[in-house]
Amino acid sequence: MQKELLDCIPDGIFTVDNNWCIRSFNKAAEQITNIEQAEAIGRRCCDVFRTSICESGCALKRTLATGQPIINKVVYIVNAKGAKIPVSISTAVLKDDQGNILGGVESFRDLRAVEELHRQVQEQNQFAGIIAHSPVMRKIFDLLPAIAQGQSTVLIEGESGTGKELVAKAIHNMSRQRSKKLVALNCGALPDTLLESELFGYKAGAFTDARKDKPGRLALAQDGTLFLDEIGDISPAMQVRLLRVLQEKTYEPLGSLEPVTTNARIMAATNKSLEKLVRENRFREDLFYRIHVIRIELPSLRKRREDIPLLIEHFITHFNCLQGKDICDVSPDVLRRLMEYDFPGNIRELQNIIEHAFVLCQGGLIEMQHLPPQLRSSSAAGSAPITIPMTLNAMEETMIHESLKRNKGNKTRVAKELGINPSTLFRKMKTSKTRPDFSNSEEV
Amino acid sequence: MGRVSPVLDVATRFWIVHCEENIQVSHQEVLIEHSSPNSLVADLRHSGVDILICGAVSQPLLQELLRSKVQVLPHICGNIVEVVSAFLADTLDQPEFKMPGCRADHCSFHHGYRHRHGRGHKIRHQKNI
């Protein structure tokens, strides 16, 4: 009866005696390990089960030593065909009616299907290395392949840390020039003279230390892509020189009398509004229109908060691999805190926060005390701490409420900020308790 | 003396046995911390290992070992002294040294191994303390 019962359970289960020899082995265990019950019974459990922790930290051994069960520890086994199978194991002590220890019991769940699903979800949630599933980012992802196929100049606008260079790389990697170089140059970091020699290169003898020819970034990007970061920071004199490159596709290296032709595709990025700079006469209008052929505006992280959990998961996986740690997630309090934070430094700031937490957290969950000091007090975000348990619905409700406050009750703007249809917003507000009293709200 | 490690992929302690004319001449235990199949295989080759006796091994690591001309005897279990003696006596194919689930299609003796009587060679065992 007991055997039939065990065979009905979809999880693998085996029991061992006090000598670590297997005493029972159910059907699911046979299927996962590829080892028949008759072969397993009487053999040492490590020779049958063969997990990554058998030698270094056997879970069953720890349970029998401490009496404490281990629940859902993720390890892998190497089955008889040499396949690595991820499993989640749980252990417990096996006792008789008098409380004498007879051995241990271990159950294990095959995680292959879960991992496959996880992989598929991860694939859906990223595009060319950019992690996002928010509607606003999805719209950008949809545009990128078409943009990549053309040769037009691209302007990528977005706050610092929103991933402008990643988008430029994605476009280059999908373009016809992908086998050629993507050459990046940060225009904001260099004074005019240096920027000029970096961009156009120079001939030997052009100035005192120019002993031999040096190709500029434009020459290096020939047949490929030149990515000019912080284009809004270049001087009016450089703007004129760049305009000539964009208009005539030619330039002259320093000290050269012969113009050189370039066919590099130009992509530019800025964390400023070029339109505003044009209005303020700080950026040439003609250059602006040369650059502004295709414009991509990357939203700040606070405008796509639904991507925060996904990015947290991504950074945790990244730092776990990098630092060999076993941190599984952030605590609900930390998630809530990060969801309400405004991230002036955007995704780069979130990455730094997780990296900071990795220094202080040794394993398990990232807790509030592992966050940087400015994030530990909720007053930094300008809102009171939320003490209710945060379910998905509650989180949604909080986000809508906060957005309504920010936008003074203007539901059209709220829907745009949250990346949802206004009718969806109305429906969600109707079904939730989000009924703020905005006496001066701009109802639209 | 311990037992052969159940999983080669995560084993870090190796028992190197130097044999001549089917007689164990010397042995030593070495620690190899490896982060990838490549680094483990490179360290084994660097130590002059000809034959590796081990427990379960993942396919990527097994393929890497075979590419590097290391003869592999996988799915072996048991006490290291007894395993070495059985290897030298050419009786390692006895059932007590085979891990459960080892069948002909992926069994140790189908990876090109033939015990070379009368020749000196180094073998390596994983050690399970």
Side-chain angles (χ1 to χ4, degrees):
Chain A
M1 175 63 188
Q2 192 188 26
K3 184 183 176 307
E4 278 83 27
L5 195 66
L6 286 176
D7 284 345
C8 289
I9 297 172
D11 288 353
I13 295 175
F14 67 84
T15 58
V16 295
D17 59 22
N18 288 319
N19 295 318
W20 308 105
C21 289
I22 289 186
R23 289 290 154 219
S24 65
F25 201 72
N26 75 345
K27 280 269 180 226
E30 280 186 331
Q31 282 160 5
I32 298 169
T33 60
N34 250 0
I35 296 168
E36 286 170 14
Q37 186 193 58
E39 274 192 278
I41 299 290
R43 303 297 296 264
R44 288 175 70 93
C45 60
C46 64
D47 291 338
V48 176
F49 198 41
R50 312 191 286 241
T51 73
S52 50
I53 58 164
C54 278
E55 198 174 5
S56 56
C58 172
L60 205 47
K61 199 174 275 181
R62 206 177 326 155
T63 292
L64 287 181
T66 61
Q68 297 299 313
I70 287 171
I71 312 287
N72 288 336
K73 185 172 175 62
V74 177
V75 298
Y76 70 81
I77 63 174
V78 177
N79 77 359
K81 288 180 176 170
K84 277 186 179 180
I85 299 173
V87 290
S88 153
I89 60 171
S90 300
T91 56
V93 179
L94 206 58
K95 293 178 181 171
D96 65 12
D97 294 342
Q98 280 77 47
N100 301 315
I101 294 175
L102 299 174
V105 58
E106 184 158 329
S107 67
F108 53 105
R109 180 166 298 172
D110 188 345
L111 297 180
R112 277 177 292 188
V114 176
E115 288 217 339
E116 177 57 22
L117 272 176
H118 189 68
R119 192 188 58 77
Q120 284 174 12
V121 169
Q122 274 187 325
E123 262 176 24
Q124 283 169 8
N125 288 336
Q126 68 164 292
F127 184 91
I130 308 166
I131 314 290
H133 66 177
S134 54
V136 61
M137 288 302 290
R138 287 263 143 218
K139 274 184 194 164
I140 292 172
F141 292 168
D142 290 344
L143 289 173
L144 293 186
I147 293 172
Q149 290 313 305
Q151 275 296 312
S152 311
T153 308
V154 180
L155 173 65
I156 306 164
E157 284 186 338
E159 289 179 14
S160 183
T162 47
K164 297 186 285 294
E165 193 162 347
L166 271 181
V167 169
K169 277 183 189 164
I171 293 172
H172 174 77
N173 289 336
M174 285 185 286
S175 71
R176 278 171 288 180
Q177 304 95 300
R178 61 179 168 273
S179 60
K180 303 294 177 184
K181 278 186 185 170
L182 168 71
V183 179
L185 178 64
N186 189 322
C187 304
L190 301 170
D192 250 21
T193 47
L194 201 53
L195 182 59
E196 197 176 357
S197 75
E198 276 297 316
L199 191 57
F200 303 126
Y202 54 78
K203 295 297 227 183
F207 47 87
T208 315
D209 287 331
R211 292 193 180 89
K212 55 181 182 179
D213 291 1
K214 188 200 168 203
R217 304 285 172 108
L218 266 167
L220 294 174
Q222 187 71 2
D223 300 325
T225 307
L226 177 68
F227 175 60
L228 300 171
D229 203 359
E230 298 189 34
I231 190 86
D233 291 349
I234 61 171
S235 71
M238 266 314 285
Q239 289 178 29
V240 175
R241 289 179 197 121
L242 196 57
L243 179 64
R244 189 181 163 218
V245 175
L246 290 171
Q247 273 178 339
E248 298 170 18
K249 296 282 177 191
T250 60
Y251 65 96
E252 277 146 27
L254 293 174
S256 171
L257 298 173
E258 293 296 316
V260 179
T261 306
T262 176
N263 64 356
R265 186 185 194 180
I266 308 287
M267 283 198 256
T270 178
N271 57 9
K272 296 172 178 166
S273 164
L274 284 193
E275 221 164 351
K276 194 172 163 224
L277 292 179
V278 168
R279 280 200 303 273
E280 292 167 356
N281 287 325
R282 289 160 60 200
F283 201 85
R284 291 180 67 98
E285 194 173 6
D286 43 9
L287 178 60
F288 171 68
Y289 286 115
R290 280 283 169 187
I291 295 172
H292 188 262
V293 181
I294 294 168
R295 179 171 165 266
I296 298 169
E297 189 184 352
L298 291 180
S300 62
L301 189 52
R302 65 189 163 277
K303 285 184 180 162
R304 53 181 185 110
R305 289 179 192 272
E306 60 268 52
D307 286 337
I308 293 173
L310 204 63
L311 288 160
I312 291 171
E313 187 190 338
H314 168 74
F315 290 131
I316 287 177
T317 308
H318 171 74
F319 287 121
N320 270 334
C321 290
L322 212 64
Q323 301 181 14
K325 285 197 171 178
D326 191 22
I327 290 170
C328 52
D329 207 347
V330 295
S331 71
D333 279 348
V334 169
L335 179 61
R336 198 179 308 138
R337 187 71 191 87
L338 294 176
M339 289 298 285
E340 65 185 11
Y341 184 60
D342 272 348
F343 292 100
N346 291 294
I347 300 155
R348 193 176 296 126
E349 186 180 8
L350 174 60
Q351 181 177 5
N352 291 346
I353 289 168
I354 301 295
E355 190 172 359
H356 179 281
F358 259 71
V359 175
L360 302 180
C361 180
Q362 295 312 310
L365 289 176
I366 292 174
E367 302 284 356
M368 285 300 271
Q369 67 267 24
H370 302 134
L371 294 182
Q374 72 272 20
L375 273 162
R376 285 181 214 154
S377 81
S378 58
S379 57
S383 55
I386 304 151
T387 49
I388 52 166
M390 199 58 121
T391 60
L392 261 179
N393 283 339
M395 208 179 288
E396 200 173 64
E397 212 171 285
T398 307
M399 284 175 70
I400 292 172
H401 187 76
E402 293 294 320
S403 184
L404 278 166
K405 269 205 286 189
R406 268 196 304 278
N407 291 293
K408 296 180 181 152
N410 184 324
K411 297 186 187 71
T412 308
R413 283 213 295 263
V414 169
K416 198 176 171 194
E417 183 179 287
L418 297 175
I420 57 175
N421 199 293
S423 57
T424 311
L425 175 69
F426 281 107
R427 185 170 44 76
K428 285 184 185 294
M429 285 177 68
K430 209 170 175 183
T431 52
S432 77
K433 293 166 195 158
T434 310
R435 306 202 201 295
D437 178 26
F438 292 105
S439 51
N440 57 349
S441 66
E442 304 165 18
E443 293 287 338
V444 176
Chain B
M1 186 71 69
R3 295 172 59 83
V4 176
S5 292
V7 179
L8 173 66
D9 299 58
V10 289
T12 53
R13 303 169 81 169
F14 291 81
W15 190 254
I16 295 186
V17 180
H18 184 76
C19 307
E20 279 178 14
E21 302 294 332
N22 272 358
I23 295 167
Q24 181 176 323
V25 175
S26 64
H27 63 255
Q28 69 175 120
E29 188 186 336
V30 293
L31 193 70
I32 299 179
E33 299 282 356
H34 52 96
S35 54
S36 66
N38 287 356
S39 64
L40 173 61
V41 174
D43 280 345
L44 290 173
R45 292 303 300 165
H46 183 71
S47 305
V49 168
D50 298 321
I51 299 169
L52 177 77
I53 300 174
C54 61
V57 51
S58 68
Q59 272 301 324
L61 179 53
L62 178 62
Q63 293 309 319
E64 193 64 36
L65 286 161
L66 295 177
R67 264 197 296 276
S68 301
K69 311 284 184 218
V70 175
Q71 287 188 313
V72 186
L73 280 69
H75 301 124
I76 300 294
C77 60
N79 179 283
I80 288 177
V81 172
E82 290 169 14
V83 166
V84 172
S85 301
F87 171 78
L88 295 173
D90 218 0
T91 56
L92 204 49
D93 54 352
Q94 293 301 304
E96 67 263 32
F97 298 118
K98 277 188 186 175
M99 279 186 149
C102 170
R103 285 180 286 275
D105 55 339
H106 40 78
C107 162
S108 55
F109 293 91
H110 287 257
H111 291 291
Y113 165 69
R114 287 289 180 275
H115 194 162
R116 295 176 295 173
H117 284 283
R119 289 180 61 187
H121 51 241
K122 283 179 186 175
I123 60 171
R124 211 167 221 218
H125 297 264
Q126 293 167 248
K127 187 185 178 193
N128 186 359
I129 305 294

